[in-house]
Amino acid sequence: MQPSTRTVNVGIIGLGTVGGGVYRLITTHAERYRKNLGIDLRIARVCNRSEKRAHELGIDPEQFTSDWHDVVSDPSIDIVVEVIGGEHPATEIFEQSFAAGKHVVTANKALLGRHMEKLSAAARAAGVQLRCEASCGGGIPIVNTLEHDLSGNEVITVAGIVNGTTNYILSRMAEEGLGYEEVLADAQRLGYAEADPTADVDGLDAASKIAILSSIGFATRITTDDVHAQGIRAISAQDIEVARKLGYAIKMLAIGHRTDSGIDVRVHPAMIPASHPLAGVSGAMNAVYVVGDAVGETMFYGAGAGAFPTASAVVGDVLALAEPLSVGTSPLPEPEPFKRELAIRDIRDLSTRYYVRIVPGDTGDAQVHAEEVLTEHGIATEQVMKLEDGSFALVTGAVCEGAMTNALAEMARGEGAVREVANAIRIEDMAAWTEGIEAN
Ligand code: HSE
C-alpha cells in the first residue's frame, strides 16, 4: 500500500437520512480507512438548512454552514457529497463544484434521471468525476458494477425491484390480504412511505432509477421521460390472491431490456412466476437482475434505502476518489458515458400476456362478451378463472399493447354485460430477458 501523502477533504451538503448516515459512517470509520486503506478522510464542512440536525449529530459548529456556497467555494475541499435531492439547487451545486475542480458524489436520482448527460459532460470538461452509486438501489453495488465489472458484456437486461416503498406495500398486501389504502396508511405511519407518496407509488422514483441503470448498462442515453411508468394504486388484494392461484406474484418491476427494435424501458406492476428469484424479494428490500451475454444471469440484492445502506454506497464512491487523491494523483476525469444512440422502443410495440379481471353487469354474459372482444382483436384467451364474488379473471395469449388497449376499451363499453374491467396487469415474459446469452 502506498502511504497517504495528504488528507482528503470532504464537504457534505444535506443532513437528511442519507447525509446523516454519511456523516456518521465517515466519522465512526475514519480510523479504519486510515489503517486498512491508507486513506486519511476528513469531513471539512457540513451544510444543512437547519443547524438543529447538525447539533443532534454532534457536528462541530465550526464545520457547520447553512449556505452551500461555503462548501463549494472552500479551496480545501476535494469532494462534495450532494445529498439534498431535487433539481435545485443541486444542479448549481454540481456545476459550481465542477467549476471549482471538485469531484461530486451524489444519490440524486431525480436529477441524474433527467440530466445525467449534461452533468457528466460538465464534469468531464472540468476534469473531475461525478459518481452516483447511491442513486439506484441504495446500498446495492449496482451502478459501478454495470459501469466497470460488467462492461465486458453486451447487457441484455437490467431489471428488478428498485423501489422499497412499493415493494413493502405489495408484500404486506400479499402476506396479510390487506387493501392498498390500508397498507399505504400504515406504511406512512411507520415511516416507510412519504406523506406524499406520489413519486413512489406512481412509479416515478423507479423510472428515474431504471433510466440511470439502463443508460449505464446499455451505454446509451435514456432519460426518465423515456420510461413508460405506471404505479401500483390500482392493485387490489384480490388481484394478488388471483395471481397467487395462477402461480404468480405481483411486483412493481423496473425493466430495461435490449430488443432488436430498441431499448424497451418501463416501470409497472407485473405478474412474475412465484418461483423467480425476484418474486422472493419482499418488504422494503430491492433487487436488480442483470443479464449479460457473457456472464448470463446475475442478481444483486440488498437494502434499497436507509441511512447506513445508502451511506455505504456514497462512501464507497468517496473512497474510490480519495484513493488516488490521498497519494497525490488525480482520479481520471469522468468518462464519456453514452457512446451510442440506441432507439427507445415504443410501449405500444410491447407484446406480453395479460391478466384481466372483469366484474359482470346486469344483462348478457360478460364472459362471452369479453372473449368475443378479445377474438375480434386477434387475442387468444388462455385461461378463465371464476372468482367467489361473481367476477372473473382472464389470462390472454401474447398481445401487443396497442391491440390490448383497444380491446380493453371495447370490453369496458360492455353493453350492459360488463360492469367494470377492474384491472389489467401484464404477465411478464421473463424468458425473453435471458435471450442472447452466449453458449459456453
Ligand atoms: N423512496 C425510495 C424507495 C427511497 O422507496 O425506494 C430510496 O431511493
Side-chain angles (χ1 to χ4, degrees), residues 19-99:
V22 172
Y23 179 82
R24 285 157 63 208
L25 185 59
I26 292 180
T27 46
T28 56
H29 286 49
E31 191 52 33
R32 200 169 301 173
Y33 301 150
R34 247 189 304 278
K35 278 200 189 131
N36 299 357
L37 307 174
I39 295 171
D40 186 23
L41 212 54
R42 171 177 165 264
I43 299 176
R45 221 72 216 273
V46 180
C47 171
N48 197 47
R49 258 202 305 245
S50 115
E51 193 168 356
K52 185 165 166 274
R53 170 84 168 140
H55 184 70
E56 284 165 6
L57 287 163
I59 293 172
D60 180 349
E62 290 286 300
Q63 279 176 300
F64 180 79
T65 176
S66 56
D67 182 355
W68 60 265
H69 295 91
D70 292 339
V71 178
V72 301
S73 64
D74 181 335
S76 76
I77 290 178
D78 302 283
I79 302 166
V80 172
V81 173
E82 179 278 308
V83 275
I84 51 173
E87 289 204 16
H88 300 284
T91 303
E92 292 73 21
I93 290 170
F94 280 44
E95 288 170 350
Q96 293 186 33
S97 298
F98 297 152

Side-chain angles (χ1 to χ4, degrees), residues 78 236 245 405 413 417 435:
D78 302 283
S236 69
K245 288 185 178 150
T405 306
R413 282 197 289 276
E435 281 167 14

Side-chain angles (χ1 to χ4, degrees), residues 109 135 162-166 192 194 200 205 209 286 304-305:
K109 63 234 167 181
S135 63
V162 293
N163 182 267
T165 305
T166 46
Y192 283 101
E194 306 273 350
D200 293 315
D205 171 83
K209 292 168 180 167
N286 282 197

Side-chain angles (χ1 to χ4, degrees), residues 223-242:
T223 78
T224 307
D225 294 332
D226 295 321
V227 182
H228 172 88
Q230 182 191 330
I232 64 162
R233 290 184 202 254
I235 303 295
S236 69
Q238 192 177 19
D239 295 320
I240 293 175
E241 178 57 17
V242 178

Side-chain angles (χ1 to χ4, degrees), residues 161 163-180 183-184 186-187 192 232 235-237 240-241 244 249-252 272 277-286 301:
I161 295 165
N163 182 267
T165 305
T166 46
N167 203 46
Y168 175 85
I169 293 172
L170 290 175
S171 299
R172 280 202 53 197
M173 287 173 71
E175 284 155 19
E176 298 170 44
L178 300 173
Y180 166 78
V183 178
L184 172 63
D186 211 30
Y192 283 101
I232 64 162
I235 303 295
S236 69
I240 293 175
E241 178 57 17
R244 196 185 57 75
I250 298 181
K251 292 289 181 188
M252 191 177 85
I272 60 175
L278 284 172
V281 177
S282 61
M285 299 307 277
N286 282 197
Y301 170 89

